[in-house]
Amino acid sequence: MTFKNTREFAQQLDQQDELKHYRDEFIFPQHNEKNVIYFTGNSLGLQPKIAKTYVDEVMNDWANLAVEGHFYAEKPWWDYHERFAEPLSKIVGAKPAEITVMNTLTVNLHLLMVSFYRPTKTRYKIICEEKAFPSDQYMFQSQVEHHGYDSKDTIIEIKRRDGEHNIRLEDILSKIEEIGDELALVLFGGVNYYTGQVFDMKTITEAGHKVGAIVGFDLAHAAGNIELHLHDWNIDFAAWCSYKYMNSGPGNASGCFIHEKHHNSNLPRFAGWWGNIKENRFKMEQKFNPIIGADGWQISNLPILSLAPYLASVEMFAKVGMPKLIKKRNQITAYLEFILHEIDNEIEGTEFEIITPGNQDERACQLSVFLHGQGRSLFDYLIKNGVITDWREPNVIRLAPVPFYTSYEDMYNFGQILKEGIQSLNN
Ligand SMILES: *Cc1c(COP(=O)(O)O)cnc(C)c1O
């Protein structure tokens, strides 16, 4: 499609957008009595209007039933989390028994490493991406030290080549092969949080398995954003937070995937009563009898008030389905890219460098833009003018036009504000 940088053209794309009605199902912060242009759904998704209904339902059940709510609530609390397995499994390409929700993301990655990082004298190394999200780096270091290894020699980061912004698949694969028998675990992001690069999880998993390693993924920026086939790709385990693309609310619960091939294994785990089979859970027996499936990794009884808005959101995703979201995502991201190039061409002396891969197979709903020469003052101008984006050192803004609730006209308006901002700062 040939794009145009005009309001009429953007409105026309909105007219044709089969998801356009969903915009009204979310609550936007207001700026001068208008919706902000929201580019940070990759950090905290907007609140779906329906979320409050789900929370109120739990509050009412608690008021009316108190402890009896565990079994007699509208949606009983003792197995509330089981409601996620079916819809979430469709979103991430898994079987329902492979999915559970619990805790928060870094906590779950730690717990999954208890099961899946089993270093030995000869096989103990971990491969991860250079500049992984800081929480993941702290997790790797503390896990490795917990097992008594030296992180310098154990954690192997796949680096970007000089002058390049993204990691090459061939460099990941050749490092996996090179480490070979010493490699215990590959744990990568599905989508890099900084550049928005999407990794080829299927190929990475095959390569890791070929040398006898376990392969897991942190899907913080992937769940609800890209097409996933966790089961078919034969990934051993994965976890994601739900408050980014999945719109579940600040700091909310994490989803976990554990491939069914591990459900009957003797993997060690840190156990708790909620992982025990339901029928015996309240007999309070001494012996732990795990549920066969990802639910067997549960520990505590769940924070129902926080799961409620997550459930609301998961059901919305299941209703729309990933294919429609991905179709719009590709088009609106391409439109944003076009607008950035247009503004760049219109104004003397600016240069935006989009460091996210240009190829649609290697990116999703995020463009990370390096602002040569502009910098922090331009970012501040955007925020002051109702464009919510975020800033990452040294000079990068991340723009995520989330397909669920952003419009093509938002992209056009953003371009105009950006242009005014640059012009006013240049004068
Ligand atoms: C957002 C994010 C996290 C955050 O972890 P929490 O435990 O939910 O605070 C971790 N890893 C990655 C890659 C992220 O993008």
Side-chain angles (χ1 to χ4, degrees):
M1 180 184 292
T2 326
F3 290 135
K4 288 189 210 141
N5 185 23
T6 65
R7 183 174 304 283
E8 293 67 36
F9 184 79
Q11 285 173 341
Q12 199 183 321
L13 289 178
D14 282 326
Q15 280 301 317
Q16 295 159 359
D17 173 10
E18 59 184 346
L19 301 181
K20 61 174 179 275
H21 302 295
Y22 278 98
R23 186 175 169 83
D24 296 331
E25 301 202 13
F26 289 87
I27 304 173
F28 284 76
Q30 300 294 297
H31 176 82
N32 293 340
E33 288 162 43
K34 282 205 303 236
N35 289 349
V36 296
I37 300 172
Y38 198 71
F39 279 125
T40 43
N42 56 349
S43 184
L44 181 69
L46 291 181
Q47 182 181 139
K49 289 179 180 163
I50 188 84
K52 212 183 202 114
T53 311
Y54 280 59
V55 176
D56 284 346
E57 181 183 274
V58 179
M59 291 301 279
N60 292 338
D61 283 337
W62 177 25
N64 296 327
L65 300 167
V67 73
E68 301 270 271
H70 283 295
F71 296 105
Y72 301 112
E74 177 76 25
K75 302 185 180 91
W77 305 330
W78 80 307
D79 57 7
Y80 194 96
H81 59 287
E82 292 179 7
R83 294 170 185 275
F84 289 79
E86 182 70 35
L88 256 184
S89 67
K90 295 209 180 81
I91 297 166
V92 300
K95 298 187 173 182
E98 294 173 322
I99 298 294
T100 200
V101 293
M102 57 184 187
N103 313 309
T104 43
L105 175 56
T106 311
V107 172
N108 281 340
L109 289 172
H110 272 298
L111 292 172
L112 290 164
M113 282 187 77
V114 166
S115 295
F116 292 104
Y117 179 54
R118 308 296 305 153
T120 66
K121 264 207 170 60
T122 54
R123 189 187 279 280
Y124 59 95
K125 295 189 175 173
I126 298 174
I127 281 185
C128 63
E129 72 209 273
E130 179 193 36
K131 293 199 199 139
F133 193 82
S135 196
D136 297 47
Q137 297 187 44
Y138 309 150
M139 174 193 63
F140 289 133
Q141 289 158 17
S142 58
Q143 282 279 339
V144 161
E145 283 159 20
H146 168 75
H147 284 283
Y149 294 84
D150 175 6
S151 42
K152 273 208 243 31
D153 155 58
T154 305
I155 303 171
I156 294 157
E157 295 184 349
I158 310 290
K159 305 229 184 289
R160 290 151 179 87
R161 296 190 188 183
D162 280 349
E164 295 185 7
H165 293 296
N166 294 289
I167 294 174
R168 294 196 191 193
L169 178 64
E170 60 194 281
D171 291 348
I172 304 172
L173 301 180
S174 65
K175 189 56 93 178
I176 289 174
E177 211 176 298
E178 179 194 320
I179 307 297
D181 289 347
E182 292 179 350
L183 186 60
L185 175 69
V186 179
L187 183 43
F188 242 74
V191 178
N192 182 269
Y193 81 97
Y194 187 83
T195 60
Q197 180 183 13
V198 175
F199 294 107
D200 181 345
M201 291 182 248
K202 180 169 183 267
T203 305
I204 293 170
T205 304
E206 274 166 15
H209 287 166
K210 205 162 146 214
V211 300
I214 290 276
V215 184
F217 287 93
D218 177 339
L219 302 178
H221 281 259
N225 180 20
I226 66 172
E227 190 175 336
L228 294 165
H229 299 280
L230 302 182
H231 176 86
D232 290 344
W233 293 342
N234 207 11
I235 288 168
D236 293 288
F237 70 92
W240 55 92
C241 47
S242 57
Y243 47 81
K244 291 175 179 166
Y245 289 99
M246 297 213 64
N247 313 323
S248 72
N252 211 341
S254 156
C256 282
F257 163 86
I258 297 164
H259 198 282
E260 79 181 344
K261 67 189 171 182
H262 296 299
H263 293 181
N264 267 311
S265 63
N266 289 323
L267 288 172
R269 71 184 88 180
F270 286 170
W273 68 327
W274 237 249
N276 199 80
I277 58 171
K278 271 161 80 175
E279 294 69 29
N280 291 358
R281 187 177 296 153
F282 300 107
K283 290 194 180 147
M284 306 299 198
E285 293 168 337
Q286 204 175 12
K287 189 178 172 327
F288 177 60
N289 192 355
I291 298 166
I292 305 299
D295 281 345
W297 270 260
Q298 289 277 352
I299 297 182
S300 293
N301 85 92
L302 288 131
I304 305 300
L305 278 169
S306 96
L307 290 192
Y310 187 11
L311 184 61
S313 154
V314 162
E315 290 180 354
M316 274 177 94
F317 267 87
K319 214 158 88 195
V320 184
M322 288 307 295
K324 284 186 187 162
L325 289 166
I326 288 169
K327 189 171 149 221
K328 177 172 173 190
R329 179 204 74 191
N330 287 342
Q331 194 180 50
I332 200 165
T333 309
Y335 189 52
L336 174 62
E337 183 182 35
F338 165 80
I339 284 178
L340 284 165
H341 288 312
E342 287 288 296
I343 304 297
D344 202 6
N345 289 339
E346 273 179 41
I347 303 180
E348 288 274 316
T350 57
E351 200 197 323
F352 309 135
E353 185 187 0
I354 299 176
I355 62 174
T356 306
N359 161 12
Q360 222 161 58
D361 295 334
E362 271 191 282
R363 75 175 188 205
C365 177
Q366 178 178 318
L367 296 179
S368 300
V369 185
F370 203 106
L371 301 171
H372 292 279
Q374 301 297 335
R376 185 85 205 185
S377 47
L378 180 56
F379 168 78
D380 292 338
Y381 181 93
L382 293 173
I383 293 280
K384 260 195 235 115
N385 287 278
V387 179
I388 311 297
T389 167
D390 72 9
W391 169 269
R392 288 287 178 269
E393 293 293 336
N395 210 358
V396 168
I397 58 171
R398 301 187 304 166
L399 305 167
V402 171
F404 237 140
Y405 48 72
T406 57
S407 69
Y408 292 90
E409 196 170 0
D410 281 345
M411 302 306 115
Y412 173 77
N413 287 334
F414 164 68
Q416 296 306 301
I417 296 170
L418 182 66
K419 188 160 85 180
E420 289 154 19
I422 296 166
Q423 284 168 339
S424 76
L425 294 169
N426 282 352
N427 288 333

